[in-house]
Structure formats: C-alpha cells, structure tokens
Amino acid sequence: MLDNHEIRSQFPFFSHSDFIYLDNGATTQKPQCVIDALCHFYNFNNANVHRGVSQLASNTTQMYEQVRSKLATHCAVKPDQIVWTKGATEAINLVVSSIDKHIEPNDIIVVSALEHHANLVPWQELCKRTGAELRVLPINQQGVLNITASLNMISSLKPKLVAVTHASNALGNILPIEQLIDAAKNVNAITLVDGAQAMQHLKPNLDTLNSDFYVLSAHKMFGPTGVGALIAKPHSLALLDTYQTGGEMIEQVSFSSSQYRQGNARFEAGTPNIAGVIGFGAALDFLNSEAMNLQRSYEESLYQYTIEQLKKIDGVTLYGDLENNIGTVSFNYKDEHHLDVATLLDQSGIVVRSGNHCTQPLMNLLGVAGTIRVSLSCYNSYEDIDKFIFALKQAIELLD
Amino acid sequence: MTEQYLNLKQNFISKNAWQDKYRDIMLLGKQLPKLPNELKIDNAKVHGCESNVWLYIDFDESEERLVVSADSDTRIVKGLIFIICSMVNGLTIDEFKRINIQSEFESLGLIQHLSPSRGNGILAIAQKISDFAIQNS
Ligand SMILES: Cc1ncc(COP(=O)(O)O)c(C=O)c1O
C-alpha cells in the first residue's frame, strides 16, 4: 500500500486537529510553505507592486511577477496570458461581463449539465441582457456526460460560446474537454473551461488545449483564498471589453479621457492580492515538488478504496463517473436525507459536504435533493477513509 | 415550561454519548405530528434551509397560548422541531418571553444546531417564534 506520510506531514492542520477532513472540493488545507510565504511577505516584503522606484517595491514586484511565470510554466502558457482575479467566480464573471459585443439575440450559449452555479448563473445573466439562448449538454442517469450527444449538439447548434467544467465539483467527473473544445472550435465558438476543481488533481496543458479561456481558484489547489486566474489564449483577451477601471490598468489619464494598457494589464485594476499571489507561488512549488509527482497513483488508489468500501454497504447509491474522476465521491444512503447522514457524520468529526453543492439543476436531473460528498486530496490517508466508513456505519445504525 | 419539555430535558441531559442523544432526537421526530400535505406550501417555508421546513405559529382557542406546528423532510430537524414545540407550545406570550431557546439548547447540548452555518432552519424557527411574540405583545 502506498503511503503519503511525507505529504501529510507538510500540513500543520493535521497535527493540530482531530477532524477527518474530506471536503477538499470546497477548499484544501495549506502546506507549511504556503503559510510561511504569507507570513514572510508581511514580515519582510510588504510593499505595493508595479509602483515606486524603491528597491523594496521592485523586489516585491519581482516576487509577485515570478508567481505569474510559475503558473504560466505550470500550465504551459506565457505569463502575459494570465490575469489575476480573486477566484474562479470572478474570472468567469470577468469574461461574461466583457463579452456582450460578440453575443447577438438568438445566439446560442452552451454549458454542461454538470456546471457549478458559478459557471451557469453568469451565463444566464448574459442571455437575459443579450437575448441569447442557453442550452445544456446532456448527462445520463448516473450523472455522466453523454459525449456523443454533446458533440452532436455543439456541431448542429453552432453556439457562439461554449463554457464547460473540466471536472464536476458535485460528482468528480473529469469531462473530455479536449473533444468538447475541438468541437466548439470547429464551429468557431468562443470557449471557456472552468478548472476550479481540476487544477488540484490534473495538470492541464493549456498550450495544446485550444480553449480561449481557462479559470481557476488558488484556494482549491493548496493556495490562499482570494486569488484566482483567468488564463487566455494570446489573441483571446482582445475579445473582451474593459472590465474594471482605475489605477494600475491605465497608460495615460487626463480629465477628459484615459488610455488603457494593453494585454493582461488592462484587466488588473487596483492593488491586487499581493500576499495571496505570493502564497500561491509556494502552493505551485508544492504541487510541482518531487513528493507530489509520486502522489497521483496514491490518490487514484485511495479513491478506488473509498468506492470499494462504500459499495460494500447495502443501500448506498453512488453518483457520477467512477472511471474518470478527480477523487470525489457523491452518494446517498437509501432514501435518507443527506442532511441527516451528514449531521451524524459531523458528530464523529468527519468533515464532508452535503447538499446540492451549488449544482441545483444537476441534482434535479439526478432526481435527488442533494448528496453527501467526500472529496479526497493528496494528504488523506487510508485511516481517514476507515474512520469515515466506521462513522457512516454508525450513522446508518442510528437511522435504520 | 411544559411538563413534557421538562421530562424530555431531564432524560436528555442524562445521556452523555452523542449517539444516545441523536437516537432520542430521531425518536422524538417520529412523534412529531405530520403537517397535512396541503399545509406544506411555499408560503409556510422557512428560508435558508438545506432541508424543507414548514412552520405555522398561532394562538390556541383561548387566544393567548402559543401553538407552533412545523414539519420537515429530515429526521433530525423533525426531532429538533419536536423539542422546540414542547418547549413553547401552551405558553402565553409573557411566559414565552421568560424562556431563552438559546440557553435551553445549550443545556441540552444541541447549541450547534442554532448556529447560522447549519442551514437546518432551527435558528430561523426560533427567530420566527420570537418575532411572533414581539408582534403580539
Ligand atoms: C467547478 C467549480 N467552479 C467554480 C467554483 C467557484 O470557485 P470560487 O468560489 O473559488 O470562485 C467552484 C467552487 O466550488 C467549483 O467547484
């Protein structure tokens, strides 16, 4: 059996807490190096970026910009393709609120049935504003995307824009985004991929992926909250109108008019989350460390183990794609309410998510009010799963 | 405070293990009178709950004693509703004002259910009963 002791020991949370943390889809714990980077920044390097000639400010600016390069390398893009945001939600909203001029009445916008509300509600708003129509790529009863129907739908509807998630937060499914994006590009659609869940577990090559936009949140990949990114193809940022205006994003300003900077700088108005970005840099180092490279197969076997253990319990229904999965298990027990099960699990100190997971339409399609979700990460142990299964059996005993 | 609630409380406090407390809560939930389906309407729903909670607050025929009736689609919330009902039903507004649902839940060891992050509606139910008492005093 593979073990992950070296990884787990880098997370101080686990030496201070008795909680069994299985809610990594919501946010991950932070390794010591991220916590240290945040403290170190405020202790020694605090200055604003991109302004001032002081050595202090230029040093901090360099540290900050180095993280952009790190993320660029991580995703196989150039630094100037990255716009910092406060998270995946803001990155999606940035695109949605700046793209009106490309959308006409009766145009079609396509999302999948697996989208988080963050990659659904903003598009609904865009449709309201522009008179475009939202269409949804179908899933089967298990919650797996029907890929043939989806590809057909894209080529026959010829949507103006396709926005799909790389991995489902509710079910963990990894979507075949390469195929979906290629189909969308065949009909000249603008594309966006929501990588909020995928980035912790997968390392997408955004050079070969042909999508205009890809979004992520640092806090779901071991970094601090309040940082995210919009990653665009070199020509794709030009599709977008200016988002927010103010300091930092301007070239020249007079009282009568202003000229904006070009490229990614045009979308970064105001003082950014400097500490957060620097902390994210440490998270990227962690993700690319030797120990983490060995971790992928560990996560996969831990996921298989979790599934096996759950399947042994009579009355458990599992949802989602159990083949292509980031390590997220969504289930219900008989027709018990997910809240009852989750409340009892909580009494045993098991931290899971229960509810609709910000995917209400998906839950409606699956015919459930919600599910209980166990989302694994690299630092979870077999013992965590055993404790969870023990607590679940105890909960079931109380409910039966 | 009603006899029923005081008995319930005594019994409850004697249980130390959470398993025993929750077994009790679910048994109490089974005793909670069901709301007829025609009363489970959107207008009666308590907002901000992960589970569905329907709530009615009124006076009995004496027109001075509280009658709270509520239902939910989750077992634990039903049990917690039973506890609240047995705490407040039959009280006059003045009597109600002398009790503190918060500290009662605290002594029952169930205070976490009144936390805003719970989303199970218990806090909202307590709030609505208090609002009703204020409006009718
Ligand atoms: C698939 C997906 N997209 C978008 C988001 C939104 O991320 P954030 O809240 O960090 O902006 C989440 C968060 O749960 C998510 O899981």
Side-chain angles (χ1 to χ4, degrees):
Chain A
M1 207 182 270
L2 293 161
D3 97 70
N4 66 341
H5 190 72
E6 189 185 338
I7 295 282
R8 191 175 168 102
S9 65
Q10 295 185 44
F11 289 78
F13 179 85
F14 298 106
S15 34
H16 305 147
S17 167
D18 290 331
F19 284 115
I20 306 297
Y21 190 76
L22 298 171
D23 195 12
N24 297 289
T27 194
T28 55
Q29 297 303 330
K30 315 307 170 199
Q32 189 67 51
C33 62
V34 169
I35 300 166
D36 288 347
L38 288 169
C39 288
H40 190 271
F41 166 73
Y42 281 122
N43 276 327
F44 300 103
N45 303 107
N46 183 39
N48 211 328
V49 290
H50 301 143
R51 47 194 102 176
V53 292
S54 73
Q55 285 174 49
L56 177 69
S58 81
N59 187 21
T60 300
T61 302
Q62 208 179 352
M63 286 168 68
Y64 171 85
E65 287 302 329
Q66 263 168 10
V67 180
R68 202 189 300 268
S69 303
K70 257 180 210 168
L71 178 62
T73 309
H74 187 83
C75 300
V77 299
K78 298 267 175 345
D80 64 4
Q81 293 174 248
I82 295 173
V83 176
W84 293 125
T85 65
K86 69 182 166 76
T89 303
E90 191 190 25
I92 296 167
N93 275 279
L94 190 164
V95 172
V96 172
S97 59
S98 315
I99 206 157
D100 281 42
K101 68 176 176 218
H102 298 284
I103 311 292
E104 286 166 15
N106 304 321
D107 275 352
I108 288 174
I109 293 176
V110 163
V111 296
S112 86
L114 291 152
E115 299 313 316
H116 186 280
H117 294 163
N119 198 28
L120 170 62
V121 183
W123 301 114
Q124 286 174 343
E125 283 298 317
L126 179 67
C127 287
K128 262 195 241 166
R129 283 202 303 274
T130 58
E133 190 190 338
L134 194 72
R135 300 292 288 269
V136 181
L137 302 176
I139 52 171
N140 68 17
Q141 277 181 330
Q142 180 74 18
V144 182
L145 190 79
N146 184 333
I147 182 69
T148 315
S150 295
L151 295 176
N152 284 340
M153 208 168 140
I154 292 172
S155 43
S156 62
L157 288 176
K158 299 188 173 40
K160 190 58 79 65
L161 193 146
V162 174
V164 287
T165 193
H166 194 168
S168 155
N169 66 304
L171 308 179
N173 306 3
I174 301 169
L175 273 66
I177 49 164
E178 294 80 5
Q179 286 180 63
L180 294 167
I181 296 300
D182 284 347
K185 281 298 163 194
N186 273 337
V187 295
N188 294 319
I190 299 168
T191 58
L192 180 143
V193 176
D194 175 358
Q197 287 294 325
M199 285 298 289
Q200 185 199 146
H201 306 276
L202 310 170
K203 195 171 170 180
N205 182 321
L206 300 185
D207 180 39
T208 53
L209 181 70
N210 199 14
S211 180
D212 292 291
F213 304 107
Y214 191 97
V215 306
L216 59 90
S217 278
H219 73 96
K220 292 185 196 284
M221 46 193 296
F222 313 109
T225 51
V227 179
L230 170 67
I231 307 181
K233 285 284 173 202
H235 55 274
S236 301
L237 282 178
L239 293 168
L240 303 179
D241 282 329
T242 299
Y243 173 54
Q244 291 179 335
T245 53
E248 276 281 295
M249 52 77 70
I250 36 74
E251 189 77 50
Q252 267 189 358
V253 180
S254 73
F255 280 117
S256 54
S257 71
S258 304
Q259 245 186 359
Y260 304 145
R261 289 167 67 185
Q262 295 299 302
N264 56 347
R266 179 161 62 100
F267 300 96
E268 294 183 345
T271 299
N273 184 349
I274 306 165
V277 166
I278 287 171
F280 185 33
L284 288 165
D285 290 343
F286 168 77
L287 266 170
N288 288 301
S289 64
E290 188 80 34
M292 277 300 280
N293 276 336
L294 304 172
Q295 208 58 24
R296 305 272 171 239
S297 55
Y298 173 83
E299 271 186 53
E300 181 57 31
S301 30
L302 191 66
Y303 170 70
Q304 292 305 338
Y305 181 72
T306 311
I307 298 278
E308 276 164 32
Q309 298 304 308
L310 280 168
K311 277 184 175 167
K312 283 189 201 156
I313 300 174
D314 261 355
V316 166
T317 310
L318 297 169
Y319 305 95
D321 186 342
L322 308 184
E323 306 283 312
N324 301 295
N325 201 292
I326 52 170
T328 291
V329 189
S330 228
F331 71 96
N332 274 316
Y333 176 70
K334 293 190 180 160
D335 51 6
E336 296 297 345
H337 200 286
H338 55 82
L339 204 62
D340 284 331
V341 180
T343 303
L344 296 174
L345 287 174
D346 174 56
Q347 288 297 315
S348 301
I350 311 289
V351 184
V352 295
R353 180 80 183 271
S354 80
N356 63 46
H357 318 297
C358 296
T359 56
Q360 264 180 25
L362 171 62
M363 294 295 129
N364 289 340
L365 286 179
L366 295 175
V368 296
T371 66
I372 300 137
R373 181 187 75 177
V374 169
S375 47
L376 304 172
S377 189
C378 56
Y379 40 63
N380 287 123
S381 62
Y382 282 80
E383 196 187 342
D384 288 345
I385 303 306
D386 291 343
K387 285 184 176 158
F388 153 65
I389 294 289
F390 180 82
L392 179 62
K393 285 181 178 160
Q394 198 169 36
I396 286 172
E397 211 179 285
L398 285 168
L399 288 165
D400 271 346
Chain B
M1 213 83 77
T2 66
E3 190 80 11
Q4 183 188 34
Y5 175 68
L6 294 174
N7 285 338
L8 180 159
K9 181 173 175 179
Q10 202 174 25
N11 180 37
F12 215 78
I13 288 176
S14 72
K15 309 255 155 97
N16 289 323
W18 67 263
Q19 288 90 337
D20 297 334
K21 281 197 200 298
Y22 279 84
R23 194 172 285 119
D24 270 14
I25 291 174
M26 285 186 285
L27 288 173
L28 294 173
K30 282 188 182 155
Q31 293 176 41
L32 184 74
K34 287 190 173 50
L35 275 184
N37 279 339
E38 56 274 22
L39 289 182
K40 291 184 181 174
I41 53 172
D42 279 353
N43 265 343
K45 264 194 195 173
V46 176
H47 287 286
C49 309
E50 277 269 5
S51 59
N52 287 311
V53 173
W54 300 270
L55 174 69
Y56 290 88
I57 311 169
D58 209 340
F59 288 114
D60 68 5
E61 55 280 6
S62 72
E63 296 190 354
E64 56 179 25
R65 294 188 177 275
L66 279 170
V67 188
V68 174
S69 35
D71 206 344
S72 162
D73 51 5
T74 87
R75 299 219 233 161
I76 292 170
V77 174
K78 269 189 200 165
L80 297 170
I81 290 173
F82 185 95
I83 294 173
I84 292 197
C85 287
S86 67
M87 208 185 290
V88 304
N89 276 348
L91 301 185
T92 64
I93 295 291
D94 281 342
E95 288 165 341
F96 173 77
K97 282 182 170 166
R98 284 197 293 273
I99 69 165
N100 182 335
I101 298 184
Q102 189 97 12
S103 56
E104 288 302 322
F105 265 70
E106 207 156 341
S107 35
L108 293 172
L110 296 172
I111 190 66
Q112 76 270 26
H113 287 289
L114 281 177
S115 110
S117 75
R118 273 295 159 141
N120 62 13
I122 298 300
L123 182 66
I125 293 173
Q127 195 61 51
K128 291 217 162 177
I129 304 173
S130 301
D131 291 349
F132 180 88
I134 289 167
Q135 281 160 19
N136 291 283
S137 56

